[in-house]
Amino acid sequence: MVKNLYQVLGVNKDASENEIKSAYRKLARKYHPDLNKDDKTAAEKFKEISCAYDILGDKEKRKKYDNNEIDADGKPTGFGAGGFGGGFGGGNYRTYTQEGFGPQGAEFDFSSIFGDDIFSAFGGRGGARGFGGGFGGQPRARKGADINYTMKIDFLSAVLGSEQNVNIGGKKINVKIPAGTVDGQTLRLKGLGEAGINGGAAGDVMITLNVMPHPYFKLDGKNILLELPISLKEAVLGAKITVPTISGKVMLTIPSYASNGEKMRLKGKGIKGGDQIITLKVITPQNKSAELEKALSAMPDEKVRNF
């Protein structure tokens, strides 16, 4: 009984490319030899669905299969959309010999039927790649598909580095987040994607990281930025203030008569040798104070603008 490749993958003949790919991935996971070491039939089934996808997963091969130009093994049938119209040996085409394909190994001009580029897909004699058994060649190895995954992580886990457990394809994977990771960065986990086809290498897992914003820290290269609100009294008289860093709290000395927007540096409190840069933000009193107004009125005017 001639096998139907659509039935092998469990899809309809009008299935979309995505539906075919999804069906293949599902079956490949189910029958992969590494997951069914004690089931000999699983290996045969895996080979069968891989060969089916090798044809149906390729636009040109699928078209030729639908037109009956190639069979379920990828071998030319001599029929299909082009038929035999035009005969053999016509035109300026190369000829190829295949034993047993005609009487006494006759030479047939296949290119006049299928086109010159058809031979780039053949294997065995003729010195090109296989169609999955066509002309005695071996099925072409193909790398498995990559799996794309998006993961949210908090700011400190990204800048300090961390380990996260994620569930991908039913497997728990321990992912190491390098220190200094930025939003949108992609990590590649080699060989953890979909299984390869016909002995090809497994695909990779591609994890795109979405770093959540922090309430008061920001990242600038290797430096950590922090805006520090201080009162007018602290700005004028100076003060000692406990401030947060990514590695814990430290004591910061605010000099007297500090200006709004003045920057202070905490050496080595960034990431990978960077610093923490603190920008002072002077906050004026929210409540009226007659004493403050009197004291300010008694102060001499200062030139603070150059325009």
Side-chain angles (χ1 to χ4, degrees):
M1 178 178 180
V2 178
K3 61 183 176 182
N4 183 298
L5 297 186
Y6 291 98
Q7 293 178 359
V8 171
L9 294 182
V11 297
N12 295 325
K13 189 173 182 179
D14 59 353
S16 66
E17 292 181 32
N18 287 335
E19 288 174 331
I20 289 175
K21 181 183 292 185
S22 177
Y24 164 71
R25 288 181 175 179
K26 183 178 179 180
L27 291 171
R29 284 194 294 266
K30 181 178 180 181
Y31 292 105
H32 196 286
D34 290 344
L35 302 177
N36 300 273
K37 295 182 179 180
D38 297 328
D39 186 355
K40 295 182 179 180
T41 60
E44 290 299 320
K45 184 67 176 178
F46 181 79
K47 180 179 178 181
E48 183 182 35
I49 62 178
S50 296
C51 290
Y53 182 67
D54 187 60
I55 292 177
L56 298 186
D58 184 294
K59 287 184 179 180
E60 291 301 318
K61 293 181 185 179
R62 181 182 180 183
K63 182 179 179 180
K64 293 179 186 299
Y65 176 73
D66 289 344
N67 290 335
N68 198 30
E69 295 177 50
I70 59 174
D71 62 16
D73 294 321
K75 299 178 182 178
T77 62
F79 300 97
F84 281 102
F88 298 108
N92 297 319
Y93 296 103
R94 298 186 303 273
T95 57
Y96 294 82
T97 301
Q98 175 65 31
E99 292 182 6
F101 200 84
Q104 287 132 12
E107 291 188 353
F108 292 138
D109 187 357
F110 294 117
S111 57
S112 65
I113 302 175
F114 302 119
D116 281 339
D117 62 347
I118 190 70
F119 290 97
S120 65
F122 283 88
R125 301 177 186 242
R129 296 185 302 275
F131 241 123
F135 288 142
Q138 294 299 317
R140 183 173 77 248
R142 181 186 295 176
K143 181 183 176 182
D146 293 340
I147 297 177
N148 295 299
Y149 186 82
T150 300
M151 182 170 66
K152 293 182 179 180
I153 58 173
D154 63 84
F155 181 87
L156 292 179
S157 294
V159 300
L160 293 174
S162 60
E163 292 188 3
Q164 306 283 335
N165 288 317
V166 297
N167 191 314
I168 299 178
K171 293 182 179 180
K172 287 187 177 180
I173 300 176
N174 188 43
V175 181
K176 291 185 178 181
I177 309 298
T181 293
V182 298
D183 184 54
Q185 186 170 332
T186 299
L187 303 180
R188 179 187 295 270
L189 306 181
K190 292 188 69 64
L192 296 181
E194 298 288 354
I197 301 172
N198 298 325
D204 304 328
V205 169
M206 309 294 291
I207 301 180
T208 301
L209 301 174
N210 290 341
V211 180
M212 298 295 98
H214 194 273
Y216 38 84
F217 290 135
K218 289 184 179 180
L219 182 64
D220 181 23
K222 295 182 179 181
N223 296 331
I224 298 294
L225 307 183
L226 172 69
E227 189 176 78
L228 178 65
I230 60 173
S231 68
L232 182 60
K233 179 180 179 180
E234 291 170 331
V236 174
L237 301 180
K240 291 185 179 293
I241 301 176
T242 300
V243 297
T245 72
I246 60 173
S247 56
K249 295 181 178 180
V250 299
M251 187 67 70
L252 177 68
T253 299
I254 306 296
S256 57
Y257 294 95
S259 300
N260 185 60
E262 186 174 342
K263 297 184 184 297
M264 304 186 71
R265 183 184 300 270
L266 295 177
K267 295 284 292 182
K269 292 299 181 181
I271 58 174
K272 298 180 179 179
D275 305 323
Q276 179 163 311
I277 310 299
I278 297 176
T279 302
L280 301 181
K281 183 178 181 181
V282 179
I283 307 298
T284 57
Q286 301 299 307
N287 300 319
K288 289 187 175 182
S289 170
E291 292 183 1
L292 176 61
E293 293 174 7
K294 182 178 179 181
L296 292 176
S297 297
M299 292 176 60
D301 293 334
E302 294 186 52
K303 183 178 180 180
V304 295
R305 290 170 288 277
N306 57 4
F307 55 86

